[in-house]
């Protein structure tokens, strides 16, 4: 076969083209005679390319998920579901470059690309016990999975954070999201209720602490149709379930709902002193107060500050105690003590305890726009000259809490001298009720100490001895009376007395109007009456001339007695 000439050589030997046209025809004839064996690799290449394309297109959309902890997540086994339908799978799990969190690579089915939007949310579904009950029991055997909630935004997204807890409100649910700022720590957690007058109207969606501002940031979601309850006059405060308080107002116990009792929550409302206000925009910032009283106090944001220089003890007076004028609260104690190391006024003879108070005109029903603080300050200066003074009084004997009482002391009128303490006007004070009582008791004790006690004690001893003798005599008399009462003769007196009464009753029954004795007695009395009437002329005659009883002739001369015979 090596010695056989090739077809090309034969053609070249036998046929020699004379021009370019013949040469082109020869080349075309050689291309048309391409071997059929090339069809197989070409088809294989096409099928391979198709398989590669099909495999690549069916792999799905690659997304990156970040988690703080990849507990329960397994590469190749953990599913991604939406409404309990499988939509993807986790392909790999690894740590981030800075080792601060876990990074998951997952594939989402290509036909579900519209679910991956800017506001889409992912969270881990696993067994969980909370205030709402037990959830995720289906994952005990199948293992944890990742839940996908489709978003409604138009912008696509490929990198998402994965939360450990389900979201409070589904994406697209009608409602109002607000931001609460608190300057004190609390135990609020995601999912805690937001209530209005004890009825749950929303939930806490997120809680963060900002170290720079040292504040707690809470994002809450208010459901429809309760969004109209939130206005620019609304105040938010934490509810701890049970609020037990002892202060100058007495004992107060406030119990929230059972859910707030178990885990706390947030409550809101509009204070009585403020109008309802206007609706607010989403993401409006509100201050989160510690309790309802603090939220109400936050309403009074326009006030006058004065300093009380108290000469008495301030034990029992605390921050937040009321400042009252004849029983009407018009202010609040702001600090006890306040600026303790500041120099005292030169007019003070002894060291006083500084107490900072606030006079809040808004408490008496004045709107914010109608308050002129300069006018109020001038008004108080006039009342100082009229005898307005502050004193500490006991608000509750059980707790010993004190409050500041303002009242007029007419005997101190026109005695006010302006004083300043640390750039604050000094509010004139007088001794409180307990201080006055204490002074009186002290004076009484001084007088008692000045008395000569020994003569008094000797006199008391003599009085006690005399009293003892009197008591002995009384004891003897009591013994004699007991003996007399126990004597049989004395006890028989009662029977004899009863017998006498029975006889007297029988005698009186014999003198009844129907008895003969009563008739005879009546007849005798009538006869005696006639006799007395008959004797009346004789009685008058004897009264006029007593000798008429001896002489017949009243005009005759008196007889002359004879001389005695010898």
């Amino acid at each position: 076969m090596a010695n056989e000439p090739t077809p090309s050589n034969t053609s070249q030997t036998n046929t020699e083209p004379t021009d370019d046209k013949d040469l082109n025809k020869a080349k075309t004839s050689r291309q048309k005679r391409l071997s059929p064996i090339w069809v197989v690799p070409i088809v294989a290449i096409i099928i391979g390319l198709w398989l590669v394309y099909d495999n690549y297109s069916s792999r799905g959309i690659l997304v990156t998920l970040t988690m703080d902890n990849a507990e329960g997540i397994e590469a190749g086994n953990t599913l991604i579901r939406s409404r309990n339908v499988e939509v993807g799978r986790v392909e790999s799990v690894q740590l981030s470059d800075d080792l601060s969190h876990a990074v998951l690579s997952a594939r989402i089915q290509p036909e579900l690309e519209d679910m991956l939007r800017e506001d889409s949310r992912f969270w881990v579904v696993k067994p969980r016990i909370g205030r709402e009950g037990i959830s995720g029991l289906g994952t005990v055997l199948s293992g944890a999975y990742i839940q996908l909630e489709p978003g409604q935004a138009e912008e696509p997204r490929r990198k998402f954070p994965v939360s450990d807890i389900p979201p409070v409100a589904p994406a697209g649910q009608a409602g109002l999201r607000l931001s609460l700022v608190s300057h004190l720590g609390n135990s609020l957690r995601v999912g805690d209720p937001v209530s209005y007058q004890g009825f749950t109207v929303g939930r806490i969606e997120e809680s963060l602490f900002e170290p720079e501002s040292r504040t707690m940031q809470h994002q809450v979601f208010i459901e429809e149709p309760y969004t109209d309850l939130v206005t620019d006059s609304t105040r938010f405060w934490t509810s701890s379930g049970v609020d037990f308080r002892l202060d100058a107002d007495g004992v107060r116990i406030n119990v929230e709902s059972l859910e707030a009792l178990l885990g706390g929550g947030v409550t809101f409302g509009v204070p009585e002193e403020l109008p309802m206000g206007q609706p607010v925009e989403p993401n409006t910032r509100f201050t989160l107060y510690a309790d309802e009283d603090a939220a109400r106090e936050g309403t009074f944001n326009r006030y006058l500050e004065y300093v009380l220089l108290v000469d008495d003890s301030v034990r029992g007076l605390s921050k937040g105690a009321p400042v009252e004028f004849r029983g009407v609260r018009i202010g609040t104690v702001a600090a006890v003590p306040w600026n303790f190391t500041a120099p005292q006024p030169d007019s003070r003879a002894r060291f006083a305890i500084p107490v900072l108070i606030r006079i809040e005109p808004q408490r008496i029903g004045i709107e914010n726009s109608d308050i002129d603080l300069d006018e109020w300050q001038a008004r108080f200066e006039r009342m100082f000259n009229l005898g307005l003074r502050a004193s500490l009084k006991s608000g509750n004997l059980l707790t010993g809490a004190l409050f500041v009482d303002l009242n007029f002391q007419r005997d101190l009128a026109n005695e006010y001298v302006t004083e300043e303490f640390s750039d604050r006007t000094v509010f004139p004070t007088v001794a409180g009720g307990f201080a006055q009582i204490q002074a009186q008791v002290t004076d009484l004790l001084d007088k008692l100490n000045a008395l000569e006690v020994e003569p008094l004690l000797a006199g008391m001893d003599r009085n006690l001895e005399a009293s003892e003798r009197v008591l002995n005599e009384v004891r003897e008399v009591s013994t004699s009376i007991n003996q007399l009462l126990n004597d049989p003769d004395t006890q028989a007196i009662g029977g004899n007395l009863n017998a006498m009464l029975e006889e007297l009753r029988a005698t009186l029954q014999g003198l009844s109007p129907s008895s003969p004795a009563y008739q005879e007695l009546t007849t005798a009395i009538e006869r005696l009456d006639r006799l007395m009437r008959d004797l009346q002329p004789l009685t008058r005659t004897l009264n006029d001339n007593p000798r008429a009883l001896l002489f017949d002739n009243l005009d005759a001369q008196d007889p002359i007695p004879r001389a005695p015979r010898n």
Side-chain angles (χ1 to χ4, degrees):
M1 294 178 63
N3 296 326
E4 292 181 357
T6 59
S8 61
N9 294 333
T10 304
S11 64
Q12 290 178 359
T13 303
N14 297 333
T15 306
E16 293 182 359
T18 57
D19 52 14
D20 295 337
K21 184 177 181 180
D22 295 335
L23 183 60
N24 293 333
K25 290 181 178 180
K27 293 180 179 180
T28 302
S29 62
R30 287 197 300 269
Q31 292 178 354
K32 289 182 178 180
R33 292 195 297 270
L34 184 64
S35 176
I37 196 171
W38 291 102
V39 175
V40 176
I42 292 173
V43 172
I45 292 173
I46 295 173
I47 294 174
L49 292 175
W50 172 256
L51 292 176
V52 170
Y53 173 77
D54 182 68
N55 183 42
Y56 179 79
S57 61
S58 62
R59 291 179 63 187
I61 303 169
L62 180 64
V63 295
T64 302
L65 306 178
T66 58
M67 301 178 60
D68 294 334
N69 188 353
E71 179 184 1
I73 305 300
E74 298 180 1
N77 292 329
T78 302
L79 301 178
I80 299 177
R81 297 180 178 179
S82 179
R83 300 185 184 275
N84 209 24
V85 176
E86 181 180 348
V87 297
R89 186 182 297 268
V90 176
E91 290 188 345
S92 64
V93 180
Q94 59 185 2
L95 291 175
S96 61
D97 295 338
D98 57 358
L99 306 180
S100 62
H101 58 275
V103 179
L104 285 64
S105 296
R107 293 282 180 177
I108 304 298
Q109 298 176 9
E111 64 271 12
L112 303 177
E113 182 179 3
D114 294 339
M115 300 176 65
L116 303 175
R117 297 300 176 184
E118 184 67 28
D119 57 346
S120 298
R121 290 183 287 186
F122 291 80
W123 67 90
V124 179
V125 178
K126 55 185 177 182
R128 183 177 290 107
I129 299 177
R131 291 188 299 273
E132 295 81 6
I134 302 175
S135 61
L137 291 179
T139 61
V140 174
L141 300 178
S142 62
Y145 65 89
I146 298 177
Q147 183 76 15
L148 167 61
E149 184 181 83
Q152 304 294 329
E154 297 181 358
E155 296 81 5
R157 187 178 179 183
R158 294 296 182 265
K159 186 175 182 180
F160 302 90
V162 180
S163 177
D164 291 334
I165 57 177
V168 174
Q173 181 178 358
L176 179 65
R177 284 180 170 84
L178 304 172
S179 177
L180 303 182
V181 181
S182 174
H183 294 278
L184 48 89
N186 48 52
S187 59
L188 296 178
R189 296 176 296 176
V190 175
D192 285 344
V194 178
S195 60
Y196 178 81
Q197 296 183 357
F199 184 76
T200 301
V201 297
R203 296 281 175 178
I204 296 178
E205 288 189 323
E206 186 178 0
S207 295
L208 297 175
F209 177 72
E210 293 186 358
E212 296 180 357
S213 60
R214 298 181 181 181
T215 58
M216 290 292 299
Q217 305 286 337
H218 304 283
Q219 180 175 328
V220 301
F221 178 78
I222 307 298
E223 304 173 358
E224 286 283 359
Y226 310 113
T227 56
D228 294 338
L229 299 176
V230 182
T231 64
D232 53 5
S233 299
T234 300
R235 300 292 183 268
F236 290 82
W237 64 89
T238 57
S239 56
S240 59
V242 177
D243 183 14
F244 180 80
R245 185 174 305 175
L246 293 173
D247 53 15
D249 296 329
V251 181
R252 290 183 294 174
I253 300 178
N254 183 22
V255 181
E256 295 287 343
S257 62
L258 180 60
E259 188 175 12
L261 180 63
L262 296 177
V266 175
T267 305
F268 67 92
V270 178
E272 298 178 356
E273 295 81 5
L274 295 181
M276 290 303 297
Q278 300 297 324
V280 297
E281 297 295 330
N283 298 321
T284 302
R285 293 171 64 91
F286 289 90
T287 300
L288 180 61
Y289 295 94
D291 50 33
E292 184 177 0
D293 290 340
R296 188 171 180 270
E297 296 297 329
T299 303
F300 312 117
N301 52 7
R302 304 195 65 189
Y303 48 81
L304 296 173
E305 288 187 340
Y306 291 96
V307 175
L308 303 180
L309 296 179
V310 182
D311 295 328
D312 305 325
S313 173
V314 294
R315 182 179 180 87
L317 183 66
S318 59
K319 179 181 178 180
V323 177
E324 299 182 356
F325 175 74
R326 295 179 179 176
V328 179
R329 182 168 183 175
I330 62 172
T332 304
V333 175
V336 181
W338 179 76
N339 204 356
F340 194 77
T341 59
Q344 299 274 329
D346 297 335
S347 58
R348 292 283 165 170
R350 58 179 180 173
F351 189 82
I353 306 298
V355 177
L356 182 65
I357 65 172
R358 292 175 178 176
I359 304 299
E360 300 159 337
Q362 293 169 310
R363 288 185 177 274
I364 54 180
I366 302 176
E367 299 295 338
N368 297 346
S369 59
D370 298 335
I371 294 178
D372 187 351
L373 295 181
D374 294 335
E375 180 183 354
W376 276 89
Q377 186 173 5
R379 183 181 303 175
F380 269 93
E381 291 180 356
R382 293 193 302 268
M383 289 190 291
F384 292 158
N385 292 320
L386 295 177
L388 182 64
R389 298 294 184 268
S391 62
L392 301 184
K393 291 188 177 181
S394 176
N396 190 282
L397 296 177
L398 178 63
T399 62
L402 301 179
F403 70 97
V404 178
D405 180 66
L406 307 182
N407 208 337
F408 286 96
Q409 304 292 333
R410 299 300 180 183
D411 54 341
L412 299 178
N414 300 322
E415 296 183 4
Y416 170 67
V417 178
T418 304
E419 291 180 321
E420 295 287 336
F421 180 87
S422 188
D423 298 332
R424 298 290 192 280
T425 302
V426 175
F427 201 109
T429 60
V430 294
F434 279 122
Q436 295 176 357
I437 295 174
Q438 184 178 3
Q440 294 175 359
V441 171
T442 303
D443 294 339
L444 179 60
L445 292 177
D446 293 338
K447 293 179 181 179
L448 292 177
N449 291 330
L451 294 176
E452 295 181 359
V453 181
E454 294 181 357
L456 293 177
L457 293 177
M460 292 178 64
D461 291 337
R462 291 192 298 271
N463 292 333
L464 290 175
E465 292 176 357
S467 299
E468 186 176 359
R469 289 194 297 270
V470 172
L471 290 175
N472 292 331
E473 294 177 358
V474 171
R475 188 180 295 109
E476 294 176 357
V477 172
S478 300
T479 303
S480 300
I481 292 175
N482 290 332
Q483 294 176 355
L484 180 62
L485 294 176
N486 293 329
D487 190 1
D489 296 337
T490 304
Q491 296 178 354
I493 293 176
N496 296 333
L497 183 60
N498 292 333
M500 292 175 61
L501 292 175
E502 291 293 337
E503 293 178 357
L504 179 61
R505 182 182 297 107
T507 302
L508 293 176
Q509 289 179 354
L511 295 177
S512 61
S514 59
S515 61
Y518 183 80
Q519 297 292 335
E520 292 178 358
L521 180 61
T522 302
T523 303
I525 291 173
E526 291 177 355
R527 291 176 180 176
L528 180 61
D529 182 55
R530 288 195 299 270
L531 178 61
M532 294 299 295
R533 287 197 297 272
D534 292 340
L535 292 176
Q536 286 180 358
L538 178 61
T539 302
R540 286 194 295 271
T541 301
L542 292 176
N543 288 332
D544 295 337
N545 189 4
R547 63 182 181 173
L549 184 61
L550 299 176
F551 302 99
D552 293 336
N553 189 1
L554 297 177
D555 296 332
Q557 296 293 326
D558 292 335
I560 299 173
R562 297 178 181 179
R565 294 180 180 179
N566 294 329

